[in-house]
Amino acid sequence: MDTKLMRERTKQARKRGGQVLTLLLVMLCCLLLAACGKKEEKAAESTALPYSESQLLLVIASARQETEEVYGKEIWDKRVSGGRETFSEAYFDELKEFFYELSAMNGMAEERNVKLDTEEMRRLHEAAERFYTASVQNQPSFGGLSEEEVEFMFQQYARALKLRKTMREDRRAEVSESEAKVIRLQSAACEKREDAEKLRDEALAGGDFRTLARKYCNADAPVKKVARGDLAPALERVAFAMEDNTVSAVTELDGKYYVFKCPVSYDTEATAERRKSLQDERLQNLVREAYERYLSAHPIAENAGLWDSIEGKVSKNYSGSNFFTAVREALRYEGV
């Protein structure tokens, strides 16, 4: 499963307590939609969710299944929020938020004229038909859902993903290779310029940089992956201008004298990973901002009675196919 970076929910999860809760709520957001952000206070007029109780139960069953496959069934009874609630209760709150987001994303797609094309609709229809036959038909826990109702949920999630894909192509979400660049660097900080100069001279002569750092700076200098922003600006300018297997000049900063050795001036794999991570974060911010604007203009009604009913009916032993995987495989989108 993708683990896209989820800032807003992660902060909320930390407040509610527990590293496990944080990780799992991040996982849930990434699995579902990644259109996170706290809803603004709504105006008096609002619309209801366009999903029946049975449709909600179907999607929730797959979400629970995904979590159990990663963390085990025992996760649900773990206490979080300082012992005030179980993980199951906290997780259910996040699921409710997902459905509001799903409905809003489809409304946003409508406004932006983002539609599923004929081929996508065909593949979704076939995927929904297979899913219905294998995982829904004759399942009493889903309240007699029809194939058409299942296909509607496939289309809703698919359209939300397509909107996200479209927004990914927004130039504001782009991250250049230079911005994402990762290098491999050894760094030594000496108290005296004289020691730093000796270290540099001997390193240029072929001495082992790590050994020399211990000798002259009384510190280790392992090879580390370094990205932009990891170093002070004055040091970053020096380090990111280096070529493979070069040793820098001595750079003074705040009373210390720095020498670098750069074994790899461009880590291709790490740069690609960081570029994707930064782009996901940037996209996440764009989606969240658009989502909040949409909800401000088109609030969705809360329905406590609906959620109380659903919470008592959630299937805890679902063994069918995964709803989210089925939709994604039908769409064949990459990196969404």
Side-chain angles (χ1 to χ4, degrees), residues 232-282:
L235 300 179
E236 181 180 296
R237 284 192 291 271
V238 173
F240 278 76
M242 297 176 70
E243 298 181 356
D244 288 357
N245 296 311
T246 56
V247 178
S248 73
V250 175
T251 302
E252 182 181 0
L253 180 67
D254 297 333
K256 290 193 175 183
Y257 301 89
Y258 292 85
V259 183
F260 299 129
K261 181 173 182 179
C262 182
V264 178
S265 62
Y266 188 91
D267 187 318
T268 304
E269 183 178 347
T271 297
E273 290 177 358
R274 178 168 171 77
R275 188 179 186 188
K276 183 180 184 304
S277 175
L278 290 173
Q279 192 160 315
D280 284 341
E281 181 178 355
R282 207 166 278 181

Side-chain angles (χ1 to χ4, degrees), residues 155-171:
Q155 291 171 356
Q156 287 280 289
Y157 186 51
R159 198 175 185 192
L161 290 175
K162 187 161 188 176
L163 174 63
R164 180 177 168 81
K165 180 176 181 290
T166 301
M167 295 182 75
R168 177 181 286 281
E169 295 163 359
D170 189 323
R171 292 183 64 89

Side-chain angles (χ1 to χ4, degrees), residues 146-158:
S146 69
E147 188 174 324
E148 290 73 20
E149 289 174 307
V150 172
E151 185 170 350
F152 176 74
M153 295 307 292
F154 270 56
Q155 291 171 356
Q156 287 280 289
Y157 186 51

